[in-house]
Amino acid sequence: MLIRVSPQHPIKPSEITPESVHADRRQFLARMGLAGAGLALAGCSEAKPPQPSVSAAAGPEAALPALDVKKKTEMAGNEKLTPYDDVTHYNNYYEFGTDKADPARNAGTLRTRPWTVAIDGECEAPGQFDLDTLIKPHALEERIYRLRCVEAWSMVIPWVGFPLADLLKRFKPNSRAKFVQFYSLADAAQMPMIKRGVLPYPYREGLRIDEAMHPLAFMVVGLYGKVLPNQNGAPIRLMTPWKYGFKSAKSIVRIRFTETQPETTWNAIGAAEYGFYGNVNPEVDHPRWSQASERRLGELFRKPTLPFNGYPEVAPLYAGMDLRRYY
Ligand code: MTE
């Protein structure tokens, strides 16, 4: 069921790829003029090693308002936090460019208020909600989680948000709701790089409903105690710390409950490289590089990758599944 979305953030039907149409990766690369250059998708290829602490450029994010954080939880083994300037200047946000420095440079054009989130699909209480109204019932909490990118670098970040389950339950998913799909904003007026078509937009991600309801799955509205900078996915993004970073859709405008597994952006353009599950797994290499170790941003030596990124409490979600097949 398609619903009307506020005029500030239209999701045009033409922007929504039917789930039946899974883009063939080669066709996609050919369309982009990249056929035969499979390595050219810079964002999710193993990048050049992260540079230690990016210069402390005091961008507009320095003035972001503080959030009223009610509770703090350390969930990254007391590891050293990645400096704020690295967290906010080494980003993947293709709508603002493919270079890691592009989002911080270009995302100033994103307007994060007013912001509407549409909730629809298999639930009893769908609707469109102003973001501030949507967030208001939730006490904000800080959770220090690791973010592990599929490109084999990682960070330790104090995120601010609230459990995704608490949000989803309010819309009363019905018994057919087996998955949850997340749509990022796709507005070429605010995101000039969209026209380059590096990815099919809007950026979409998805979780199985039990993954989405797991207490670790987190809706993020801030980091380091302050409002989320645009380049990190303002005003609201997902964070599933046991999964690769590509699962954490940024600047979310729509949440849809579905009966069947929804199409997700990276999986649609390269299923052999980016699985639907995207669980961090040192034993399942990316076809073009090893996932056995990772480089923590700002550190010199690689660390071994931990299964589920060091969050073994999620393992029961996958009991009996062949994680080499469902990567
Ligand atoms: N969401 C959107 N809409 N567009 C993107 O390009 N990149 C993903 C994810 N969410 C991306 C996105 C990838 S590949 C990663 S690793 C994380 O965002 C990076 O989050 P960060 O920039 O806050 O570290």
Side-chain angles (χ1 to χ4, degrees), residues 10 12 15 95-96 109 185-196 201:
K12 298 186 197 85
E15 288 173 330
E95 292 86 331
F96 293 104
T109 50
L185 177 72
D187 179 358
Q190 298 178 60
M191 302 165 146
M193 300 304 284
I194 279 195
K195 293 199 190 94
R196 297 217 182 154
Y201 298 107

Side-chain angles (χ1 to χ4, degrees), residues 91-95 147 149 184 203 232 237 245-246 248 250:
N91 300 102
N92 275 342
Y93 198 168
Y94 271 31
E95 292 86 331
L147 170 97
C149 185
S184 295
Y203 193 98
N232 292 87
R237 71 174 283 175
F246 68 87
S248 56
K250 294 180 166 181

